[in-house]
Amino acid sequence: MRISIKIKFSIFLAILLLFTVFILSLLVLRGIRSNQVEQYERYLERQTETANVYFMQTILAESNKSSQIFLNTKGVEFARQLELLTGQSVVLYDRDGAVVSKKPASGGSDRMKRILEYSLEGKTAYLVEQDELYYLTPLSVENGQVGVIQFYYSLKEDNDFYNRIRQTCISIGAIIFLLSFILAYFYFDSFANGIIKLERMVDRVREGHYDISFLKRKDEIGRLSVGIRDMSRQIMATMNEMVGEQEKLTLAVNKLSLLDQQQKQFIGNVTHEFKTPLTSIRAYVDLLEMYPDDNQLMETAKKIIKSETERLYEMVDKVLQLSALEKYDFEYHPEIIDTKLIIESVLQSLSGKMNKFGLELETELTEAYISADKDSLVIILVNLLDNAIKYNKVNGKVLVKNYIRDSYVFIEISDTGIGIPKEAADRIFDPFYTVDKNRSRQSGGAGLGLSLVKRYTERQGGKITLVQSDSSGTSFGISFPVVHSI
Ligand code: ADP
């Protein structure tokens, strides 16, 4: 069973007070007892003196009798007169210890006999039996002891008084014990409540609730509660830090494993994409070795090897650019560029290709300045326009426009081409992703253009979106913060 601290303190205080009362009572009762003894001893001594003087006077009056004979003959009478004089019950013994007065009501016990023998030797002694005191003292004349006087003294009054006082002490002790327990219980109530509250605070912290309030008290308990509150806050902060660190670590680990996965996939793709043109080149080289005089084969081989080499070169170039962008060693030289001018210049360089595909070009261009790296912006525009040409339909259209809206310069490149299926829209910016492998390969693509465009755009604080794409065509949009003055 668990006894509360309140009860323990109360019992302790009550017992302490009870003990004090006990010691005090003991001292008082002892004082009373020794005072009573002193008083009756003095009284009986005086009675003894009176009896001896009276005996002497009586003996003198009876001059013809020896004191021994007097006692034996007139002992009863003398004892009666002595009783009248002293007011005590008296028994007289002669020199041999024989009763010469009326017989005592009680007596004859061994203890009594021993005391009588003791008194016959000239000494005073007394025996106390409950409320009765038998005081035996020598009866003497000038030439020595003639007998023994026994006074009977009642201790009833003394004992009653003593017992009353003892009873009072016991009652006082009990009352003090009870009262002190009750008072201490209430006094320690607030103290114990404080400790109970502290215990609850500690329990809450142990259960993981660190947001606890302190006790509004000015004593040590209040200060302790503030200490516990502060400690708990400290634990909470450390835990939060740890959780934060753990989350960061998990994120970093996830990111690393994702990067690792992406890298493996990237290398796999690179190997695969590089293999295709190389296989083709090697096949034609083998054929030429086998048929060195075949002129037509020579012509075809030259064409194929040239186009595959170009494709390979372009791929290597893009892969290098992509890995440079990944490794953050991208050299960025921003300058203020008029998007209208740069678009027109890129369109100019691609006009031959457009004509080759019989495409019609439409532009809606306005002066709009951005801060960007010129070479990167050219790569972005060339790739987007190249796609608009490559994935267009015969006699299709390419529309290029730019405009300023909400502090951004938007460039939109639209075509009337084959469009991008909805399910592929999310993946077109992934390296090596192509919707239709054959078509991409025919047009010399390996799925690297859009991923390069996205990285270049974002590295410069821009954004690229697939604005819309369906069977009527595709529209890509890029945006950069506008620069107003030049
Ligand atoms: P590629 O070099 O093969 O063109 P990109 O990364 O530039 O690779 O494009 C990824 C894929 O997105 C292409 O294979 C193509 O299927 C699709 N795509 C890109 N631009 C267009 C477009 N304007 N119209 C239709 N499909 C497009």
Side-chain angles (χ1 to χ4, degrees), residues 318 383-384 387-392 415 417-420 428-430 433-436 440-441 443-451 469 473-476:
K318 282 183 178 170
N383 272 286
L384 287 175
N387 281 352
I389 298 167
K390 277 192 309 193
Y391 302 108
N392 218 317
D415 62 60
I418 56 172
I420 299 168
I428 49 170
F429 295 106
D430 292 349
Y433 180 78
T434 51
V435 175
D436 179 347
S440 285
R441 196 158 293 147
S443 52
L448 291 170
L450 282 181
S451 54
S469 186
T474 303
S475 178
F476 279 100

Side-chain angles (χ1 to χ4, degrees), residues 18-280:
L18 186 67
F19 182 70
T20 314
V21 171
F22 173 74
I23 297 287
L24 284 176
S25 306
L26 215 65
L27 291 174
V28 168
L29 288 172
R30 271 202 176 179
I32 290 172
R33 187 55 99 199
S34 70
N35 183 265
Q36 284 176 340
V37 170
E38 211 176 289
Q39 273 187 1
Y40 65 65
E41 276 183 354
R42 213 179 299 145
Y43 171 74
L44 287 165
E45 268 168 31
R46 276 202 307 273
Q47 297 293 48
T48 306
E49 272 169 33
T50 312
N52 274 308
V53 170
Y54 185 59
F55 184 67
M56 287 271 281
Q57 284 171 354
T58 314
I59 286 295
L60 285 175
E62 303 268 341
S63 53
N64 54 344
K65 278 186 188 163
S66 81
S67 42
Q68 220 31 258
I69 294 166
F70 175 78
L71 267 185
N72 286 331
T73 53
K74 296 222 174 155
V76 177
E77 177 58 26
F78 178 70
R80 208 171 49 79
Q81 282 176 359
L82 212 52
E83 276 181 353
L84 285 172
L85 186 71
T86 59
Q88 302 294 137
S89 163
V90 171
V91 176
L92 285 177
Y93 299 89
D94 65 9
R95 194 69 192 87
D96 303 321
V99 179
V100 289
S101 62
K102 70 173 186 329
K103 291 260 184 254
S106 63
S109 68
D110 286 348
R111 287 172 73 198
M112 197 66 176
K113 276 178 191 149
R114 274 205 304 280
I115 288 177
L116 180 61
E117 279 163 19
Y118 193 69
S119 285
L120 287 169
E121 286 166 18
K123 294 167 191 162
T124 300
Y126 60 85
L127 171 71
V128 175
E129 272 176 353
Q130 289 167 359
D131 287 345
E132 290 161 350
L133 188 146
Y134 300 98
Y135 189 86
L136 280 83
T137 184
L139 180 68
S140 312
V141 287
E142 278 161 354
N143 46 3
Q145 183 175 359
V146 289
V148 169
I149 312 172
Q150 175 191 311
F151 289 113
Y152 167 78
Y153 183 83
S154 171
L155 289 174
K156 191 162 181 349
E157 256 180 51
D158 284 8
N159 283 349
D160 282 352
F161 177 71
Y162 181 85
N163 286 338
R164 265 202 315 280
I165 298 292
R166 197 176 61 176
Q167 199 52 48
T168 311
C169 287
I170 291 171
S171 306
I172 289 174
I175 290 168
I176 283 187
F177 180 80
L178 260 174
L179 265 179
S180 58
F181 179 82
I182 292 167
L183 288 176
Y185 187 85
F186 285 111
Y187 175 74
F188 288 127
D189 196 43
S190 98
F191 175 69
N193 274 348
I195 293 182
I196 290 166
K197 280 181 188 159
L198 284 181
E199 192 190 11
R200 279 197 206 123
M201 279 172 78
V202 173
D203 279 348
R204 275 184 67 73
V205 174
R206 197 183 294 133
E207 284 160 11
H209 306 288
Y210 301 108
D211 198 14
I212 48 169
S213 52
F214 62 93
L215 305 181
K216 289 184 184 74
R217 298 170 61 130
K218 282 182 182 146
D219 56 4
E220 285 83 351
I221 291 180
R223 287 204 291 279
L224 191 60
S225 78
V226 172
I228 293 175
R229 197 267 320 256
D230 291 351
M231 244 162 59
S232 147
R233 282 188 177 172
Q234 195 86 37
I235 294 173
M236 184 161 70
T238 316
M239 294 279 281
N240 286 345
E241 246 171 60
M242 268 167 62
V243 170
E245 291 298 319
Q246 207 170 359
E247 273 170 11
K248 271 190 216 159
L249 211 69
T250 316
L251 274 178
V253 169
N254 288 346
K255 209 171 166 185
L256 267 177
S257 72
L258 189 74
L259 271 176
D260 187 50
Q261 218 176 326
Q262 280 175 347
Q263 210 164 23
K264 276 183 192 149
Q265 202 178 348
F266 187 76
I267 291 168
N269 285 335
V270 168
T271 324
H272 178 76
E273 292 300 327
F274 279 15
K275 246 182 175 175
T276 321
L278 282 173
T279 312
S280 172

